[in-house]
Amino acid sequence: VIFLIGFMGSGKSTVGSRLAERLGLPFRDADRAIEERADASIPKIFEAGGEPRFRALERAVVADLAGGPASVIALGGGAPEDPATFESLRAATTVHLDVGYGEAMARLGDGAGRPMLAQEDSKALFVRRRALYRRAAALSVATDGRSPDAIAEAIAAELRAGRARKRELATVPETRRVRVAVPGAAHDVVVGSGISGSLAGFLPPLADAEKAFVVTHPSLAGLAGAATRALEGAGLEVSSALVAEGEASKSLSAAGRLLDELAEAQLHRTDLVVGFGGGVVTDLAGYVASTYLRGVAVAHVATSLLAQVDAAIGGKTGVNLARGKNLVGTIHQPAVVVCDVDLLATLPRAELVSGLAEVVKYGLIAEPDLLETITARAGAILAAEPDPLVEIVARSAAIKARIVAADERERGERAHLNYGHTFAHAFEHSSGYGALRHGEAVALGMMAAAHLAHVLGRLPAETVEAHRTALASAGLPTSAAFEPAQLEGAWRLDKKYRRGVRFVLLSELGRPEAGVAAPPAAVHEAIKRLRE
Ligand SMILES: NC(=O)c1ccc[n+]([C@@H]2O[C@H](COP(=O)([O-])OP(=O)(O)OC[C@H]3O[C@@H](n4cnc5c(N)ncnc54)[C@H](O)[C@@H]3O)[C@@H](O)[C@H]2O)c1
């Protein structure tokens, strides 16, 4: 017996019947079996006995079917929520159809007729259930962008090859801890799958803390529920503030509003601010925490890949001015950074890809092995599978942590983290902000830096190609047409480049050097080669 599980809209019925055909087995839909058993429609069952009645019927039906003749059975999206059903599924051959959050939402439309979506925030429901599916199933199959036949064929092939083996059921989710050994402010980055609900356990002892103040976006508030409940469970009085999405929230006026709210909530010097979000939230919450009462503790739950590998680590906080980005800020190390890779399941794919640019950067400047991991596991990374994400996030965090601990105030080595960024800023500027995603600009910037190093005779052609291979496998661009004159204009405007443009260039993979000057002709040639 093969059970198919997955989120609403993952295509269980369609794929199930195609799979059954391939395997020469009958196909059954568990919901129909439940209706037959109860002699009532599903809405009627819910009306009469609510979810408990439905889950009890489902439990009995799943147990019966599991012991019955060989068949392919599609289950309802909530089936593994019932502990007994979960155990039946783990004991059987269960296949998880892994659909992306965006794809599932697109297929569900407005969610009409899906009672669970009306009750619970869709992102929180998705992340929680996806973790259950992955634990219940022996095999998870990515479905986005594949036809039902292709998916059915892939499952059949795995089953025939006997690769649908039981996963070990971890009772405590595996976590990796990275120490950020900044003098006087050492702390951990904790990376794992399904760990945001354990936030309180990762906090260092906050002796007199009574309150926590969570800063997030409206669209992430549901997802923040598990972390918020954890703080409440630890005895903290939790209040929260919602800030609008987007770079515009990194402003002095948004910071001012938050500071007022902290004062309103009577947060004390010993209390805690929590930034739950991407880099916009962690930069803003960090800035506010560092200035309120001359500094209170901040903990970050980083929810975008960029924040997990970069923005939430290192203590730089900031807001923007009309004249430019991050012109106001502080260095204020967090008490802890929690990177729950399960949360990345609802991150739009373009944001995931954009964050990967920084991961590739770490590979290029510090750990060439990481490039191989990205190239070899790109499909699984882009499908937001927890294992490879834990791997790349933990390794990236470790690289940033080491560099920040050695040079918190960017007097030397920390500048290596700007690899590709001199070009990237100029690309963003000359194409109009917003036209290029930051990660795309960084990807192109690293390609341009590689071309430049090659033109200057510092780097062999195959290292330029290594850049291209890693970036392309991550779904990032590797060529673009820019005019050198435009870039120079952008550089002249930038305060940092007053004494002439300086680049971070490699002399080999893993060996960056900062402050390298290059003659204009070499820069022009590099920009020309970027067209290839
Ligand atoms: N302090 C630093 O050292 C540092 C380093 C790099 C970047 N930054 C800053 O970081 C910011 C960019 O960060 P970002 O790329 O995370 O952008 P972001 O914070 O705007 O997040 C990108 C988008 O993804 C959404 N999102 C985040 N997590 C999600 C999730 N789990 N599910 C669904 N949607 C989710 C957000 O709501 C937002 O719309 C910039 O302001 C940049 O200056 C700071």
Side-chain angles (χ1 to χ4, degrees), residues 72-291:
V72 176
I73 299 152
L75 290 182
E81 302 258 17
D82 179 82
T85 303
F86 180 88
E87 289 311 322
S88 302
L89 294 175
R90 276 195 56 80
T93 302
T94 298
V95 178
H96 165 212
L97 298 188
D98 197 9
V99 61
Y101 174 76
E103 181 80 28
M105 290 302 122
R107 288 190 202 159
L108 290 177
D110 64 359
R114 307 277 181 171
M116 288 309 293
L117 276 185
Q119 280 169 33
E120 190 175 345
D121 173 82
S122 64
K123 289 193 183 76
L125 181 70
F126 184 85
V127 166
R128 190 165 53 75
R129 285 207 173 155
R130 183 171 187 258
L132 274 175
Y133 300 143
R134 297 189 62 89
R135 287 166 59 225
L139 177 70
S140 278
V141 181
T143 62
D144 285 12
R146 298 166 91 182
S147 71
D149 279 314
I151 299 162
E153 188 50 47
I155 299 171
E158 293 287 321
L159 293 173
R160 285 189 205 108
R163 279 197 293 266
R165 293 199 199 294
K166 283 267 126 293
R167 292 201 182 94
E168 282 311 305
L169 189 59
T171 42
V172 182
E174 193 217 346
T175 55
R176 306 242 304 248
R177 277 178 189 259
V178 172
R179 192 74 177 155
V180 189
V182 177
H187 60 277
D188 285 345
V189 179
V190 189
V191 184
S193 154
I195 60 171
S196 74
S198 309
L199 169 62
F202 302 133
L203 293 171
L206 296 159
D208 296 317
E210 290 174 355
K211 294 177 185 161
F213 190 94
V214 180
V215 179
T216 189
H217 296 311
S219 69
L220 302 180
L223 213 50
T228 305
R229 285 190 295 277
L231 296 169
E232 285 167 349
L236 293 167
E237 186 188 316
V238 182
S239 43
S240 56
L242 301 177
V243 295
E245 257 170 79
E247 196 60 33
S249 280
K250 273 179 56 176
S251 67
L252 283 171
S253 60
R257 280 193 298 276
L258 279 179
L259 288 166
D260 276 331
E261 291 193 48
L262 292 178
E264 241 2 90
Q266 299 187 339
L267 223 75
H268 290 132
R269 178 69 189 84
T270 47
D271 292 331
L272 174 73
V273 172
V274 177
F276 185 99
V280 163
V281 164
T282 57
D283 272 14
L284 177 65
Y287 177 68
V288 163
S290 71
T291 51

Side-chain angles (χ1 to χ4, degrees), residues 240-368:
S240 56
L242 301 177
V243 295
E245 257 170 79
E247 196 60 33
S249 280
K250 273 179 56 176
S251 67
L252 283 171
S253 60
R257 280 193 298 276
L258 279 179
L259 288 166
D260 276 331
E261 291 193 48
L262 292 178
E264 241 2 90
Q266 299 187 339
L267 223 75
H268 290 132
R269 178 69 189 84
T270 47
D271 292 331
L272 174 73
V273 172
V274 177
F276 185 99
V280 163
V281 164
T282 57
D283 272 14
L284 177 65
Y287 177 68
V288 163
S290 71
T291 51
Y292 180 68
L293 302 180
R294 301 195 182 83
V296 300
V298 65
H300 293 313
V301 181
T303 66
S304 69
L305 182 60
L306 182 83
Q308 295 192 348
V309 300
D310 188 4
I313 304 171
K316 282 191 187 176
T317 80
V319 295
N320 306 326
L321 296 180
R323 283 295 295 261
K325 282 193 58 173
N326 300 320
L327 293 186
V328 177
T330 56
I331 292 194
H332 183 61
Q333 296 297 338
V336 69
V337 179
V338 174
C339 303
D340 181 347
V341 300
D342 284 13
L343 302 178
L344 302 180
T346 60
L347 189 68
R349 182 189 160 102
E351 297 290 345
L352 192 64
V353 169
S354 187
L356 278 175
E358 302 295 341
V359 181
V360 172
K361 177 190 79 182
Y362 292 125
L364 293 169
I365 65 168
E367 220 175 89

